[in-house]
Amino acid sequence: MSQTPLTQSTPYTLFYVPDSANLVVRIALEELGASFAALLVEGAGAASRDAAFLALNPQGLVPVLVDFHQDEPLFETAAILLHLSEQHKALQPAYARSRGRYLKWLFFLSNTLHADLRGLFYSDRYVADVAAIPALRRGLGARVVRHFTLLDAEMARHGGPWLLGETLTTCDIYLAVCARWAQLYPRGDGLASDVFANLPHVHHMLKTLEQRPAVLRACEQEGIAGRAFTVPQYPLR
Ligand SMILES: N[C@@H](CCC(=O)N[C@@H](CS)C(=O)NCC(=O)O)C(=O)O
């Protein structure tokens, strides 16, 4: 792993693996117009990370964000998003009275939707017997559809176009990347894209978000072509 090129003018370094949870953070950084360096993390999977990376995140997981102004590296996607939205006073609700709503959905995305997706992607780590994997995946797949259905109902309640109503927040970015992965992974066995076609509010949000210049820039940097959320393709590299 190379040295972290941190300076006052480039305060952030994002450690990444293409199309992993760092995509959420990269999009947020692009939306914020923040200056950051991105460093590719070598190795296939957490178990193969080198000592320098494990010093940043002992779990070996990406994303990790190093912030020049913080005493320790940040890991956990939702924590990074919350930190960035507070630092930049952007990608968060416009009104203080909506802060509770922002927090509850950000935590839902992290500890329920993303956590269930991890069970789908890394199923062999969740069962002692590989024969149990298909049943685990069926159960988690159904849960994931229910989570997106709940998110669609929440958008309908507030009239969209974003999860919290009129303001784009980090929740939308996190939700959209989860929707992308849910269709692509496990490789060749993701959710059918018509799941989202049948969730009109989520679908409209995904379509709107994937056309934003910040999202297009982030996807290009990760080797992701086309419509990242509604017609997702595997990364080119
Ligand atoms: N709870 C963590 C999960 C991060 C995570 O699952 N990272 C995956 C990539 S999307 C990873 O590093 N996987 C490598 C591995 O587990 O071997 C977060 O929210 O950041």
Side-chain angles (χ1 to χ4, degrees):
M1 202 179 64
S2 9
Q3 281 294 310
T4 312
L6 282 183
T7 63
Q8 287 273 9
S9 57
T10 303
Y12 301 116
T13 299
L14 174 64
F15 290 83
Y16 80 103
V17 172
D19 207 17
S20 70
N22 59 265
L23 178 60
V24 182
V25 178
R26 193 193 281 274
I27 293 172
L29 288 164
E30 288 288 343
E31 281 287 349
L32 293 167
S35 169
F36 68 100
L39 288 184
L40 182 66
V41 177
E42 306 290 342
S48 65
R49 303 294 186 232
D50 65 19
F53 186 73
L54 291 173
L56 301 176
N57 182 357
Q59 301 177 96
L61 301 177
V62 289
V64 168
L65 185 77
V66 175
D67 177 345
F68 184 78
H69 302 287
Q70 293 292 305
D71 59 0
E72 293 218 347
L74 285 100
F75 51 81
E76 286 301 315
T77 305
I80 297 172
L81 292 176
L82 192 52
H83 174 68
L84 288 174
S85 66
E86 284 174 350
Q87 284 291 113
H88 292 261
K89 304 199 181 340
L91 296 178
Q92 60 183 356
Y95 305 107
R97 67 173 185 276
S98 303
R99 181 164 170 79
R101 197 142 58 84
Y102 173 57
L103 293 178
K104 75 181 174 184
W105 286 111
L106 186 60
F107 279 73
F108 171 82
L109 290 164
S110 168
N111 70 22
T112 303
L113 178 59
H114 189 179
D116 280 354
L117 288 172
R118 272 188 56 86
L120 275 170
F121 306 157
Y122 302 110
S123 307
D124 55 325
R125 301 181 196 171
Y126 289 73
V127 289
D129 177 359
V130 289
I133 289 179
L136 174 71
R137 286 195 173 153
R138 275 196 303 280
L140 286 174
R143 277 175 59 85
V144 164
V145 172
R146 282 203 298 277
H147 302 331
F148 283 117
T149 305
L150 185 66
L151 290 159
D152 194 71
E154 175 66 10
M155 282 185 185
R157 204 159 74 84
H158 293 285
W162 308 110
L163 182 62
L164 300 192
E166 288 177 1
T167 308
L168 171 69
T169 71
T170 62
C171 289
D172 300 292
I173 299 170
Y174 205 172
L175 192 170
V177 176
C178 286
R180 166 182 171 78
W181 297 328
Q183 295 166 82
L184 291 178
Y185 306 106
R187 238 173 209 268
D189 194 21
L191 291 184
S193 51
D194 64 358
V195 168
F196 294 100
N198 292 324
L199 297 174
H201 302 90
V202 169
H203 190 256
H204 180 257
M205 187 279 274
L206 298 178
K207 237 174 123 170
T208 309
L209 189 63
E210 72 189 0
Q211 292 169 32
R212 289 175 70 93
V215 175
L216 295 172
R217 278 197 303 277
C219 287
E220 195 189 337
Q221 287 154 12
E222 301 238 345
I224 293 167
R227 292 154 62 187
F229 307 133
T230 59
V231 192
Q233 311 290 327
Y234 295 106
L236 301 172
R237 48 177 186 268

